[in-house]
Amino acid sequence: MDDNDLKRLIDSVVADTRRHFEVVAERTDKKVELLAEAIAALGGGLRLETAELREETRRGFAETHAMINCATIAQKEALAMGDVVFGTGVTEGAVRAIRKGSREDERRNH
């Protein structure tokens, strides 16, 4: 094998290696693009799910807050009228404080 044959062989190997590398790079580019699209789609779905969960949590807290307010108002009204239910775990100090608060509320409202 002379120098020219060796040069042609090296050029051939270099060309084959370059073509192989270009094919692999092209496949990799396509896979990366598909992955990026999948991540973008997933991210959009997660943002929507997060927003829905946040709204559901807010509604639940608002409903709970409303129920607590109603129960507190009903309890204050019952205590103001002397309708204390025994066995509820309400201490006498708490009853006096709630009655006092109810009287102060009435004075402010009149």
Side-chain angles (χ1 to χ4, degrees):
M1 178 181 275
D2 66 359
D3 286 346
N4 286 336
D5 291 339
L6 185 59
K7 186 177 183 321
R8 279 192 297 271
L9 179 62
I10 291 172
D11 288 344
S12 174
V13 169
V14 168
D16 286 345
T17 302
R18 177 168 288 159
R19 279 192 297 275
H20 177 72
F21 180 78
E22 288 172 355
V23 169
V24 170
E26 188 175 319
R27 286 182 188 163
T28 303
D29 284 347
K30 288 179 183 178
K31 289 179 181 180
V32 168
E33 287 175 16
L34 288 173
L35 181 61
E37 290 172 9
I39 289 171
L42 180 62
L46 287 175
R47 280 190 292 278
L48 178 61
E49 183 70 20
T50 301
E52 290 172 356
L53 286 171
R54 186 177 292 122
E55 180 58 32
E56 185 177 323
T57 301
R58 284 183 181 145
R59 267 195 314 269
F61 278 128
E63 291 170 2
T64 302
H65 191 277
M67 289 188 314
I68 290 170
N69 282 342
C70 287
T72 302
I73 290 168
Q75 186 181 28
K76 283 183 178 183
E77 289 173 354
L79 290 172
M81 295 185 313
D83 297 336
V84 178
V85 178
F86 293 101
T88 60
V90 178
T91 64
E92 286 186 37
V95 170
R96 283 193 298 276
I98 293 171
R99 284 184 176 158
K100 180 180 177 186
S102 295
R103 286 191 294 267
E104 289 174 2
D105 289 345
E106 287 178 13
R107 275 185 258 152
R108 272 188 245 127
N109 292 333
H110 291 299

